[in-house]
Amino acid sequence: MQQINGPAIFLAQFMADHAPYNSLDSLCQWAAEKGFKGIQLPTDPTLFDVAQAAKSQQYCDDITQVVAKHGLVITELSTHLQGQLVAVHPAYDAMFDGFAPPAYRGDPAARTQWAISQLKDAAIASQRLGLKAHATFSGALLWQTIYPWPQRPAGLVELGFKELAARWRPILDAFDTAGVDVCFELHPGEDLHDGASFERFLVEVDFHPRANILYDPSHFVLQQLDYLAFIDLYHSRIKAFHVKDAEFTPNGRSGVYGGYQSWQDRPGRFRSLGDGQIDFTAIFSKLTQYGFQGWAVLEWECCLKHPEDGASEGAKYIDQHLIRPTDKHFDDFAAVGTDLTLNKQLLGL
């Protein structure tokens, strides 16, 4: 066992067009002052140009220097927006077009190729930065059919996952060449949103060693999935970790689907760390038990609390939940040496 690294913070939700949230340097200073030791870095050109990073080791070294100046490290790069665009059903074309640069909007095929290129660049950039894991979304071709009404035609799901795998297989191979794990955040709106859908994908990519999981229990609470049993089932594939809290309080008007209500009014809501229902003591215990070697990364999304307070409290919360693994067995004082004769006698042999 080893201690989980942390605390770190995902910067995506804190980016803004004013200081200190509008540059990598000032965001790193802000994060360090909050008590964080690492940053999960979105591949947004205002902070990090992934295409340039794939071409230039000097650019990567300069970025590393900016981060290190504040006593921080980069934990993972994130391509959540680009990953979403690897697979988009036409029903969502207009809504997801804003995730791509203007030159690719209105052209789904070109947008997909741009997204795939960005992911491949992220593999090389991650290698140049010395990273071992990468955070992303899978995209979705089937999400509009998530509820089986109207009835799904036979073979539709199988074909959808075959196509999703075909788009991701070259990306996974690129990450394998770079020695970096692709960590899919299992998330509603993605074809990979729970254990069952992730298993379907694994089969289609021949259990590719780089197809792994970004574990975020908040999304499982909102789906009413057992987030602790999930760790028991999939711990060998969990290579990244978002520490995000949530709560689910069903009522007589709405449940899991939320009734098209705002986040404040939905039964399932994301909350700041410690304000929700998730048992992080049990989560950190299980991940430590199974030897998770990555970072505990705060992802702040809360419909009630101010983000500054969420970040300040989150750094302390994660730090308090990190477990220093024991270097001895608690009952060593009662241990006896190996005695084959005695053991045979005790077994009646």
Side-chain angles (χ1 to χ4, degrees), residues 267-292:
R269 310 190 298 186
F270 299 127
R271 299 298 308 276
S272 285
L273 280 185
D275 294 345
Q277 299 169 343
I278 295 178
D279 185 352
F280 282 105
T281 297
I283 288 174
F284 276 84
S285 295
K286 279 187 176 290
L287 290 176
T288 300
Q289 172 189 341
Y290 286 121
F292 175 69

PDB file of all heavy atoms in Angstrom, residues 267-292:
ATOM      1  N   PRO A 267     -33.692  16.542  -7.095  1.00  0.00           N
ATOM      2  CA  PRO A 267     -33.398  15.638  -5.972  1.00  0.00           C
ATOM      3  C   PRO A 267     -31.918  15.273  -5.887  1.00  0.00           C
ATOM      4  O   PRO A 267     -31.380  15.096  -4.800  1.00  0.00           O
ATOM      5  CB  PRO A 267     -34.256  14.411  -6.287  1.00  0.00           C
ATOM      6  CG  PRO A 267     -35.361  14.922  -7.132  1.00  0.00           C
ATOM      7  CD  PRO A 267     -34.744  15.996  -7.967  1.00  0.00           C
ATOM      8  N   GLY A 268     -31.265  15.137  -7.051  1.00  0.00           N
ATOM      9  CA  GLY A 268     -29.831  14.854  -7.083  1.00  0.00           C
ATOM     10  C   GLY A 268     -29.056  16.119  -7.352  1.00  0.00           C
ATOM     11  O   GLY A 268     -29.257  16.769  -8.385  1.00  0.00           O
ATOM     12  N   ARG A 269     -28.168  16.493  -6.415  1.00  0.00           N
ATOM     13  CA  ARG A 269     -27.418  17.751  -6.552  1.00  0.00           C
ATOM     14  C   ARG A 269     -25.954  17.526  -6.197  1.00  0.00           C
ATOM     15  O   ARG A 269     -25.634  16.769  -5.287  1.00  0.00           O
ATOM     16  CB  ARG A 269     -27.980  18.825  -5.617  1.00  0.00           C
ATOM     17  CG  ARG A 269     -29.473  19.016  -5.684  1.00  0.00           C
ATOM     18  CD  ARG A 269     -29.941  20.236  -4.926  1.00  0.00           C
ATOM     19  NE  ARG A 269     -29.661  20.192  -3.484  1.00  0.00           N
ATOM     20  CZ  ARG A 269     -30.083  21.104  -2.617  1.00  0.00           C
ATOM     21  NH1 ARG A 269     -30.773  22.151  -3.049  1.00  0.00           N
ATOM     22  NH2 ARG A 269     -29.812  21.007  -1.334  1.00  0.00           N
ATOM     23  N   PHE A 270     -25.075  18.204  -6.933  1.00  0.00           N
ATOM     24  CA  PHE A 270     -23.663  18.225  -6.558  1.00  0.00           C
ATOM     25  C   PHE A 270     -23.473  19.232  -5.421  1.00  0.00           C
ATOM     26  O   PHE A 270     -24.092  20.293  -5.401  1.00  0.00           O
ATOM     27  CB  PHE A 270     -22.789  18.621  -7.750  1.00  0.00           C
ATOM     28  CG  PHE A 270     -22.891  17.672  -8.910  1.00  0.00           C
ATOM     29  CD1 PHE A 270     -23.183  18.141 -10.181  1.00  0.00           C
ATOM     30  CD2 PHE A 270     -22.693  16.317  -8.738  1.00  0.00           C
ATOM     31  CE1 PHE A 270     -23.282  17.274 -11.254  1.00  0.00           C
ATOM     32  CE2 PHE A 270     -22.788  15.433  -9.806  1.00  0.00           C
ATOM     33  CZ  PHE A 270     -23.082  15.914 -11.070  1.00  0.00           C
ATOM     34  N   ARG A 271     -22.598  18.866  -4.480  1.00  0.00           N
ATOM     35  CA  ARG A 271     -22.352  19.720  -3.330  1.00  0.00           C
ATOM     36  C   ARG A 271     -20.851  19.880  -3.088  1.00  0.00           C
ATOM     37  O   ARG A 271     -20.035  19.079  -3.558  1.00  0.00           O
ATOM     38  CB  ARG A 271     -23.005  19.130  -2.072  1.00  0.00           C
ATOM     39  CG  ARG A 271     -24.528  18.976  -2.156  1.00  0.00           C
ATOM     40  CD  ARG A 271     -25.232  20.321  -2.343  1.00  0.00           C
ATOM     41  NE  ARG A 271     -24.817  21.302  -1.353  1.00  0.00           N
ATOM     42  CZ  ARG A 271     -25.344  21.385  -0.124  1.00  0.00           C
ATOM     43  NH1 ARG A 271     -26.298  20.547   0.264  1.00  0.00           N
ATOM     44  NH2 ARG A 271     -24.915  22.316   0.706  1.00  0.00           N
ATOM     45  N   SER A 272     -20.493  20.896  -2.329  1.00  0.00           N
ATOM     46  CA  SER A 272     -19.102  21.056  -1.921  1.00  0.00           C
ATOM     47  C   SER A 272     -18.723  19.940  -0.959  1.00  0.00           C
ATOM     48  O   SER A 272     -19.586  19.356  -0.283  1.00  0.00           O
ATOM     49  CB  SER A 272     -18.904  22.427  -1.263  1.00  0.00           C
ATOM     50  OG  SER A 272     -18.903  23.455  -2.228  1.00  0.00           O
ATOM     51  N   LEU A 273     -17.420  19.667  -0.906  1.00  0.00           N
ATOM     52  CA  LEU A 273     -16.947  18.547  -0.089  1.00  0.00           C
ATOM     53  C   LEU A 273     -17.392  18.684   1.364  1.00  0.00           C
ATOM     54  O   LEU A 273     -17.216  19.738   1.985  1.00  0.00           O
ATOM     55  CB  LEU A 273     -15.427  18.451  -0.135  1.00  0.00           C
ATOM     56  CG  LEU A 273     -14.847  17.781  -1.376  1.00  0.00           C
ATOM     57  CD1 LEU A 273     -13.330  17.651  -1.238  1.00  0.00           C
ATOM     58  CD2 LEU A 273     -15.461  16.426  -1.611  1.00  0.00           C
ATOM     59  N   GLY A 274     -17.978  17.607   1.892  1.00  0.00           N
ATOM     60  CA  GLY A 274     -18.434  17.586   3.271  1.00  0.00           C
ATOM     61  C   GLY A 274     -19.875  18.016   3.447  1.00  0.00           C
ATOM     62  O   GLY A 274     -20.451  17.813   4.516  1.00  0.00           O
ATOM     63  N   ASP A 275     -20.472  18.594   2.398  1.00  0.00           N
ATOM     64  CA  ASP A 275     -21.849  19.068   2.489  1.00  0.00           C
ATOM     65  C   ASP A 275     -22.849  18.071   1.920  1.00  0.00           C
ATOM     66  O   ASP A 275     -24.058  18.277   2.046  1.00  0.00           O
ATOM     67  CB  ASP A 275     -22.008  20.401   1.748  1.00  0.00           C
ATOM     68  CG  ASP A 275     -21.225  21.523   2.407  1.00  0.00           C
ATOM     69  OD1 ASP A 275     -20.806  21.353   3.564  1.00  0.00           O
ATOM     70  OD2 ASP A 275     -21.019  22.565   1.752  1.00  0.00           O
ATOM     71  N   GLY A 276     -22.361  17.017   1.279  1.00  0.00           N
ATOM     72  CA  GLY A 276     -23.238  16.034   0.664  1.00  0.00           C
ATOM     73  C   GLY A 276     -23.346  14.763   1.478  1.00  0.00           C
ATOM     74  O   GLY A 276     -23.105  14.745   2.686  1.00  0.00           O
ATOM     75  N   GLN A 277     -23.665  13.667   0.808  1.00  0.00           N
ATOM     76  CA  GLN A 277     -23.945  12.394   1.474  1.00  0.00           C
ATOM     77  C   GLN A 277     -22.853  11.350   1.281  1.00  0.00           C
ATOM     78  O   GLN A 277     -22.940  10.263   1.855  1.00  0.00           O
ATOM     79  CB  GLN A 277     -25.264  11.825   0.934  1.00  0.00           C
ATOM     80  CG  GLN A 277     -26.484  12.691   1.173  1.00  0.00           C
ATOM     81  CD  GLN A 277     -27.696  12.204   0.398  1.00  0.00           C
ATOM     82  OE1 GLN A 277     -27.584  11.416  -0.544  1.00  0.00           O
ATOM     83  NE2 GLN A 277     -28.867  12.675   0.793  1.00  0.00           N
ATOM     84  N   ILE A 278     -21.826  11.652   0.523  1.00  0.00           N
ATOM     85  CA  ILE A 278     -20.854  10.620   0.159  1.00  0.00           C
ATOM     86  C   ILE A 278     -19.927  10.299   1.327  1.00  0.00           C
ATOM     87  O   ILE A 278     -19.431  11.198   2.013  1.00  0.00           O
ATOM     88  CB  ILE A 278     -20.042  11.060  -1.069  1.00  0.00           C
ATOM     89  CG1 ILE A 278     -20.975  11.166  -2.290  1.00  0.00           C
ATOM     90  CG2 ILE A 278     -18.910  10.081  -1.357  1.00  0.00           C
ATOM     91  CD1 ILE A 278     -20.298  11.633  -3.551  1.00  0.00           C
ATOM     92  N   ASP A 279     -19.677   9.018   1.519  1.00  0.00           N
ATOM     93  CA  ASP A 279     -18.809   8.527   2.591  1.00  0.00           C
ATOM     94  C   ASP A 279     -17.370   8.475   2.077  1.00  0.00           C
ATOM     95  O   ASP A 279     -16.899   7.435   1.613  1.00  0.00           O
ATOM     96  CB  ASP A 279     -19.277   7.141   3.042  1.00  0.00           C
ATOM     97  CG  ASP A 279     -18.494   6.609   4.237  1.00  0.00           C
ATOM     98  OD1 ASP A 279     -17.486   7.233   4.628  1.00  0.00           O
ATOM     99  OD2 ASP A 279     -18.882   5.547   4.769  1.00  0.00           O
ATOM    100  N   PHE A 280     -16.686   9.599   2.158  1.00  0.00           N
ATOM    101  CA  PHE A 280     -15.322   9.646   1.642  1.00  0.00           C
ATOM    102  C   PHE A 280     -14.328   8.915   2.537  1.00  0.00           C
ATOM    103  O   PHE A 280     -13.281   8.471   2.060  1.00  0.00           O
ATOM    104  CB  PHE A 280     -14.885  11.097   1.426  1.00  0.00           C
ATOM    105  CG  PHE A 280     -15.451  11.705   0.174  1.00  0.00           C
ATOM    106  CD1 PHE A 280     -16.488  12.611   0.232  1.00  0.00           C
ATOM    107  CD2 PHE A 280     -14.958  11.342  -1.063  1.00  0.00           C
ATOM    108  CE1 PHE A 280     -17.028  13.157  -0.923  1.00  0.00           C
ATOM    109  CE2 PHE A 280     -15.480  11.880  -2.237  1.00  0.00           C
ATOM    110  CZ  PHE A 280     -16.528  12.786  -2.161  1.00  0.00           C
ATOM    111  N   THR A 281     -14.649   8.751   3.797  1.00  0.00           N
ATOM    112  CA  THR A 281     -13.776   7.942   4.655  1.00  0.00           C
ATOM    113  C   THR A 281     -13.691   6.531   4.111  1.00  0.00           C
ATOM    114  O   THR A 281     -12.602   5.944   4.007  1.00  0.00           O
ATOM    115  CB  THR A 281     -14.304   7.932   6.095  1.00  0.00           C
ATOM    116  OG1 THR A 281     -14.283   9.269   6.617  1.00  0.00           O
ATOM    117  CG2 THR A 281     -13.451   7.044   6.981  1.00  0.00           C
ATOM    118  N   ALA A 282     -14.830   5.971   3.730  1.00  0.00           N
ATOM    119  CA  ALA A 282     -14.841   4.618   3.171  1.00  0.00           C
ATOM    120  C   ALA A 282     -14.168   4.578   1.806  1.00  0.00           C
ATOM    121  O   ALA A 282     -13.456   3.614   1.480  1.00  0.00           O
ATOM    122  CB  ALA A 282     -16.281   4.111   3.071  1.00  0.00           C
ATOM    123  N   ILE A 283     -14.378   5.612   0.998  1.00  0.00           N
ATOM    124  CA  ILE A 283     -13.760   5.646  -0.333  1.00  0.00           C
ATOM    125  C   ILE A 283     -12.242   5.695  -0.232  1.00  0.00           C
ATOM    126  O   ILE A 283     -11.535   4.916  -0.891  1.00  0.00           O
ATOM    127  CB  ILE A 283     -14.282   6.852  -1.134  1.00  0.00           C
ATOM    128  CG1 ILE A 283     -15.730   6.620  -1.560  1.00  0.00           C
ATOM    129  CG2 ILE A 283     -13.397   7.114  -2.363  1.00  0.00           C
ATOM    130  CD1 ILE A 283     -16.367   7.815  -2.232  1.00  0.00           C
ATOM    131  N   PHE A 284     -11.709   6.600   0.585  1.00  0.00           N
ATOM    132  CA  PHE A 284     -10.252   6.686   0.732  1.00  0.00           C
ATOM    133  C   PHE A 284      -9.689   5.396   1.322  1.00  0.00           C
ATOM    134  O   PHE A 284      -8.584   4.975   0.970  1.00  0.00           O
ATOM    135  CB  PHE A 284      -9.876   7.892   1.587  1.00  0.00           C
ATOM    136  CG  PHE A 284      -9.790   9.179   0.818  1.00  0.00           C
ATOM    137  CD1 PHE A 284     -10.927   9.940   0.561  1.00  0.00           C
ATOM    138  CD2 PHE A 284      -8.577   9.642   0.333  1.00  0.00           C
ATOM    139  CE1 PHE A 284     -10.858  11.129  -0.153  1.00  0.00           C
ATOM    140  CE2 PHE A 284      -8.495  10.830  -0.393  1.00  0.00           C
ATOM    141  CZ  PHE A 284      -9.639  11.580  -0.636  1.00  0.00           C
ATOM    142  N   SER A 285     -10.441   4.755   2.204  1.00  0.00           N
ATOM    143  CA  SER A 285      -9.985   3.486   2.773  1.00  0.00           C
ATOM    144  C   SER A 285      -9.892   2.415   1.697  1.00  0.00           C
ATOM    145  O   SER A 285      -8.889   1.686   1.606  1.00  0.00           O
ATOM    146  CB  SER A 285     -10.940   3.034   3.884  1.00  0.00           C
ATOM    147  OG  SER A 285     -10.909   3.925   4.974  1.00  0.00           O
ATOM    148  N   LYS A 286     -10.921   2.302   0.872  1.00  0.00           N
ATOM    149  CA  LYS A 286     -10.914   1.277  -0.176  1.00  0.00           C
ATOM    150  C   LYS A 286      -9.826   1.538  -1.211  1.00  0.00           C
ATOM    151  O   LYS A 286      -9.107   0.620  -1.627  1.00  0.00           O
ATOM    152  CB  LYS A 286     -12.278   1.195  -0.858  1.00  0.00           C
ATOM    153  CG  LYS A 286     -13.312   0.379  -0.095  1.00  0.00           C
ATOM    154  CD  LYS A 286     -14.577   0.188  -0.895  1.00  0.00           C
ATOM    155  CE  LYS A 286     -15.567  -0.705  -0.149  1.00  0.00           C
ATOM    156  NZ  LYS A 286     -15.117  -2.108  -0.076  1.00  0.00           N
ATOM    157  N   LEU A 287      -9.699   2.782  -1.647  1.00  0.00           N
ATOM    158  CA  LEU A 287      -8.678   3.079  -2.643  1.00  0.00           C
ATOM    159  C   LEU A 287      -7.278   2.839  -2.095  1.00  0.00           C
ATOM    160  O   LEU A 287      -6.387   2.365  -2.813  1.00  0.00           O
ATOM    161  CB  LEU A 287      -8.829   4.520  -3.130  1.00  0.00           C
ATOM    162  CG  LEU A 287     -10.059   4.810  -4.004  1.00  0.00           C
ATOM    163  CD1 LEU A 287     -10.135   6.294  -4.346  1.00  0.00           C
ATOM    164  CD2 LEU A 287     -10.040   3.978  -5.277  1.00  0.00           C
ATOM    165  N   THR A 288      -7.071   3.164  -0.828  1.00  0.00           N
ATOM    166  CA  THR A 288      -5.769   2.887  -0.204  1.00  0.00           C
ATOM    167  C   THR A 288      -5.540   1.379  -0.103  1.00  0.00           C
ATOM    168  O   THR A 288      -4.447   0.876  -0.409  1.00  0.00           O
ATOM    169  CB  THR A 288      -5.694   3.525   1.190  1.00  0.00           C
ATOM    170  OG1 THR A 288      -5.859   4.949   1.070  1.00  0.00           O
ATOM    171  CG2 THR A 288      -4.355   3.244   1.848  1.00  0.00           C
ATOM    172  N   GLN A 289      -6.562   0.660   0.317  1.00  0.00           N
ATOM    173  CA  GLN A 289      -6.468  -0.802   0.430  1.00  0.00           C
ATOM    174  C   GLN A 289      -6.076  -1.438  -0.901  1.00  0.00           C
ATOM    175  O   GLN A 289      -5.261  -2.369  -0.939  1.00  0.00           O
ATOM    176  CB  GLN A 289      -7.809  -1.358   0.891  1.00  0.00           C
ATOM    177  CG  GLN A 289      -7.908  -2.883   0.875  1.00  0.00           C
ATOM    178  CD  GLN A 289      -9.339  -3.361   1.136  1.00  0.00           C
ATOM    179  OE1 GLN A 289     -10.167  -2.619   1.659  1.00  0.00           O
ATOM    180  NE2 GLN A 289      -9.612  -4.590   0.763  1.00  0.00           N
ATOM    181  N   TYR A 290      -6.649  -0.923  -2.003  1.00  0.00           N
ATOM    182  CA  TYR A 290      -6.383  -1.515  -3.311  1.00  0.00           C
ATOM    183  C   TYR A 290      -5.156  -0.933  -3.994  1.00  0.00           C
ATOM    184  O   TYR A 290      -4.851  -1.272  -5.138  1.00  0.00           O
ATOM    185  CB  TYR A 290      -7.609  -1.347  -4.209  1.00  0.00           C
ATOM    186  CG  TYR A 290      -8.756  -2.266  -3.859  1.00  0.00           C
ATOM    187  CD1 TYR A 290     -10.002  -1.752  -3.508  1.00  0.00           C
ATOM    188  CD2 TYR A 290      -8.601  -3.648  -3.870  1.00  0.00           C
ATOM    189  CE1 TYR A 290     -11.064  -2.589  -3.192  1.00  0.00           C
ATOM    190  CE2 TYR A 290      -9.645  -4.493  -3.554  1.00  0.00           C
ATOM    191  CZ  TYR A 290     -10.877  -3.961  -3.212  1.00  0.00           C
ATOM    192  OH  TYR A 290     -11.923  -4.806  -2.899  1.00  0.00           O
ATOM    193  N   GLY A 291      -4.451  -0.049  -3.307  1.00  0.00           N
ATOM    194  CA  GLY A 291      -3.183   0.440  -3.829  1.00  0.00           C
ATOM    195  C   GLY A 291      -3.297   1.485  -4.914  1.00  0.00           C
ATOM    196  O   GLY A 291      -2.410   1.583  -5.780  1.00  0.00           O
ATOM    197  N   PHE A 292      -4.355   2.311  -4.883  1.00  0.00           N
ATOM    198  CA  PHE A 292      -4.485   3.402  -5.856  1.00  0.00           C
ATOM    199  C   PHE A 292      -3.263   4.316  -5.764  1.00  0.00           C
ATOM    200  O   PHE A 292      -2.905   4.790  -4.686  1.00  0.00           O
ATOM    201  CB  PHE A 292      -5.763   4.191  -5.587  1.00  0.00           C
ATOM    202  CG  PHE A 292      -5.933   5.400  -6.456  1.00  0.00           C
ATOM    203  CD1 PHE A 292      -6.176   5.274  -7.812  1.00  0.00           C
ATOM    204  CD2 PHE A 292      -5.836   6.683  -5.913  1.00  0.00           C
ATOM    205  CE1 PHE A 292      -6.328   6.397  -8.624  1.00  0.00           C
ATOM    206  CE2 PHE A 292      -5.999   7.809  -6.710  1.00  0.00           C
ATOM    207  CZ  PHE A 292      -6.241   7.661  -8.071  1.00  0.00           C
TER     208      PHE A 292
END
